[in-house]
Amino acid sequence: MLVAALAALLLQQTPGAVVWAPLPDPAVEEEQVPAAAPTLPDWALADPFAWERSQCSSLVRGGVSLGACQARVRTELAANLGDALPAALRPTGLEEECLPTNNAANGFAVSCAPQRREQAAVSLPQERVCENRPQRTGNGVVSWAETCRPASGTQGSEDGLKFRLFGRD
């Protein structure tokens, strides 16, 4: 068994099976092959808006962002249609930076500029401590009143801290 395995190993290593040749330069190959525009179906050239919707649907594009998909499709359409591409589909490179802004003079205009991002102020509800205390309203009638204060201990009153010494305030 060992002799058969050794013979098979020797037969696989026949001289002349390895060809030593220099690898072609990839930069030269890229220069020789011109980048061809991807061929689009006839209906894509007839209705470029439908082609963009079909290619950038969330079901088709998967994890690619909508802006990246639209940029790719619009570049393909521009390469195939040239000047016949509608102005709304011309790639501009600022798709994510353009937002409609309210302008008193022109109504709603589109403004293309880097977006300012500010961190939103966080306002959390404060924890409160509430107590129910009896109050005398007159003629021996007692009612219950609920008083609440922040749990941090600050009431916000101008009187400050009060405590009783020997039964007086």
Side-chain angles (χ1 to χ4, degrees), residues 56-118:
C56 294
S57 167
S58 60
L59 299 173
V60 174
R61 65 183 156 91
V64 178
S65 70
L66 179 62
C69 178
Q70 285 179 334
R72 178 186 57 84
V73 170
R74 290 177 181 185
T75 304
E76 290 174 359
L77 286 169
N80 282 293
L81 290 175
D83 292 337
L85 184 68
L89 289 178
R90 293 208 172 113
T92 61
L94 295 174
E95 288 85 18
E96 295 180 9
E97 302 292 331
C98 296
L99 296 172
T101 56
N102 190 0
N103 187 352
N106 300 334
F108 286 94
V110 175
S111 169
C112 295
Q115 299 176 11
R116 289 184 50 190
R117 304 204 189 272
E118 297 176 4

Side-chain angles (χ1 to χ4, degrees), residues 84-159:
L85 184 68
L89 289 178
R90 293 208 172 113
T92 61
L94 295 174
E95 288 85 18
E96 295 180 9
E97 302 292 331
C98 296
L99 296 172
T101 56
N102 190 0
N103 187 352
N106 300 334
F108 286 94
V110 175
S111 169
C112 295
Q115 299 176 11
R116 289 184 50 190
R117 304 204 189 272
E118 297 176 4
Q119 187 173 4
V122 178
S123 63
L124 299 174
Q126 292 184 355
E127 187 176 346
R128 299 179 351 162
V129 176
C130 297
E131 298 175 338
N132 288 327
R133 295 187 175 195
Q135 289 184 343
R136 186 172 26 161
T137 57
N139 296 334
V141 178
V142 176
S143 66
W144 292 87
E146 183 180 35
T147 57
C148 296
R149 60 179 171 82
S152 63
T154 58
Q155 286 184 320
S157 66
E158 298 174 7
D159 297 336

Side-chain angles (χ1 to χ4, degrees), residues 4-70:
L6 205 62
L9 183 65
L10 289 174
L11 289 175
Q12 287 181 350
Q13 297 181 1
T14 59
V18 177
V19 177
W20 296 96
L23 293 175
D25 189 15
V28 173
E29 287 183 13
E30 288 179 9
E31 293 175 358
Q32 294 172 355
V33 178
T39 32
L40 300 178
D42 292 336
W43 69 269
L45 301 176
D47 190 2
F49 292 101
W51 175 253
E52 181 187 35
R53 283 191 306 273
S54 70
Q55 294 300 302
C56 294
S57 167
S58 60
L59 299 173
V60 174
R61 65 183 156 91
V64 178
S65 70
L66 179 62
C69 178
Q70 285 179 334

